[in-house]
Amino acid sequence: MRLVVLSRNGSLYSTSRILRAARARGHDVRLFDPLELQIAVEGRKTRVHHAGAAVSPCDAIIPRVGVSVTRHGMLVLRHLAAKRVVVLNDAAALAAARDKIGALSTLAAAGIDVPKSVCLRSPRGLDAAISHVGGPPVVVKLQAGTQGLGTILAESRNAAISTVETLLAMGQEVVVQAFVREARGRDQRLFVVGRRVVASMERRARRGEFRANLHRGGLGIPIDPPPEIRRVALRAARRLGLAVAGVDLLPTRNGPQVLEVNSSPGLEGIEQVTEVDIAAAIVRYAEGCVRRG
């Protein structure tokens, strides 16, 4: 199989693991930095070029497109994805997942429970938005935040207003979200590949921190989630069109709530915690898709 991995840096843990897994299974795998790929239009044809030469056809593409290069990454994906090319998370799915409030809206419309959330581009109505999500404390998020960056817990109404107004003044799009007290600094990350949850862990925030992300010093513990939670994670990924996804959710007394669905989930933390070879699972899934056409 001819496989293309899109990533800014081949030495990143997740990228290098996928590359090694593909080579170990005997595939011809190439790595391209999406920012180094050019879209060339000539006559009635459009091609993707690298270093002045057209990128040759491939069987499958695994995108590891970071938030900072989302727009160009999606453009490249659209043009690389010819009719018979398997794309594990195409441009449309990537766009759907990166729009946090849009993704939550899509999930809610599908009957998947999500925390109360309001998206803001103006301070007008801010006080009402805080009340709508249940009042302080509230979680303030940047639409483009990742790995817990741009996520703030505002303990009081004044703190929430001050934080949101500052971010809006900086031109940011802001999401105000309900703070789920019963989570107590814990959430669950379920890693979805195709139609399976291949690995799961609970993340626990370090003392004095409410974000459970491992990049923020959180502790990861392997878990075997019940079928109900697995079904919710699979439905969430499917509704956003994602073949590979990290689904973050909170098990509450009223059932699981989906916090976020990550379209380029990191492998390092969850592979180390669960000892599951997720990279190989991704490559095997791509193989199956290519075989099925």
Side-chain angles (χ1 to χ4, degrees):
M1 183 171 73
R2 292 164 297 178
L3 181 66
V4 164
V5 176
L6 292 180
S7 173
R8 295 290 329 271
N9 188 345
S11 66
L12 294 173
Y13 179 93
S14 299
T15 303
S16 64
R17 286 284 295 115
I18 292 170
L19 292 171
R20 290 201 304 270
R23 289 168 182 148
R25 296 183 65 80
H27 299 305
D28 173 16
V29 57
R30 291 166 289 172
L31 171 69
F32 291 115
D33 179 345
L35 292 188
E36 293 181 0
L37 294 176
Q38 303 167 338
I39 309 300
V41 180
E42 180 180 352
R44 298 180 181 179
K45 296 181 179 180
T46 302
R47 294 187 176 91
V48 179
H49 285 189
H50 181 261
V55 175
S56 56
C58 64
D59 298 305
I61 301 169
I62 300 177
R64 296 292 308 176
V65 178
V67 171
S68 63
V69 295
T70 295
R71 186 176 180 276
H72 189 71
M74 289 192 301
L75 182 64
V76 166
L77 272 176
R78 287 192 187 100
H79 290 285
L80 277 178
K83 287 185 179 179
R84 293 187 176 273
V85 175
V86 169
V87 183
L88 303 193
N89 296 353
D90 61 19
L94 191 65
R98 291 282 162 84
D99 177 2
K100 287 185 180 179
I101 200 68
L104 292 177
S105 177
T106 297
L107 298 180
I112 297 171
D113 196 16
V114 299
K116 288 184 179 180
S117 307
V118 178
C119 185
L120 300 165
R121 282 303 299 263
S122 165
R124 183 175 297 177
L126 173 55
D127 196 61
I130 295 170
S131 297
H132 175 77
V133 301
V138 297
V139 178
V140 179
K141 295 182 175 182
L142 295 179
Q143 271 272 56
T146 184
Q147 295 179 348
L149 295 173
T151 301
I152 302 159
L153 179 63
E155 299 276 5
S156 67
R157 188 173 293 269
N158 285 341
I161 292 172
S162 176
T163 301
V164 172
E165 286 181 341
T166 299
L167 294 173
L168 291 173
M170 296 169 64
Q172 298 291 337
E173 191 169 27
V174 178
V175 175
V176 177
Q177 193 171 78
F179 176 62
V180 182
R181 289 182 182 276
E182 65 183 285
R184 294 176 297 175
R186 301 184 182 190
D187 68 14
Q188 294 181 354
R189 161 64 63 92
L190 274 62
F191 205 109
V192 172
V193 179
R195 298 181 180 181
R196 293 196 306 127
V197 173
V198 298
S200 307
M201 67 177 174
E202 180 176 281
R203 301 182 298 188
R204 301 178 179 178
R206 60 181 172 82
R207 185 181 296 274
E209 174 63 81
F210 80 100
R211 296 168 295 182
N213 306 72
L214 300 189
H215 286 84
R216 308 261 70 79
L219 172 68
I221 299 171
I223 58 171
D224 182 15
E228 177 194 12
I229 289 182
R230 290 175 178 267
R231 285 193 294 269
V232 169
L234 290 169
R235 284 183 62 209
R238 186 168 63 249
R239 293 298 298 187
L240 295 175
L242 296 169
V244 177
V247 182
D248 297 339
L249 45 76
L250 297 173
T252 74
R253 65 176 66 92
N254 297 318
Q257 285 190 341
V258 175
L259 291 172
E260 191 170 341
V261 183
N262 193 316
S263 58
S264 293
L267 274 61
E268 183 172 11
I270 195 166
E271 280 197 336
Q272 292 175 352
V273 167
T274 64
E275 298 184 349
V276 174
D277 189 346
I278 299 174
I282 293 171
V283 175
R284 287 196 301 269
Y285 179 72
E287 294 169 357
C289 290
V290 171
R291 284 196 301 269
R292 292 189 296 270

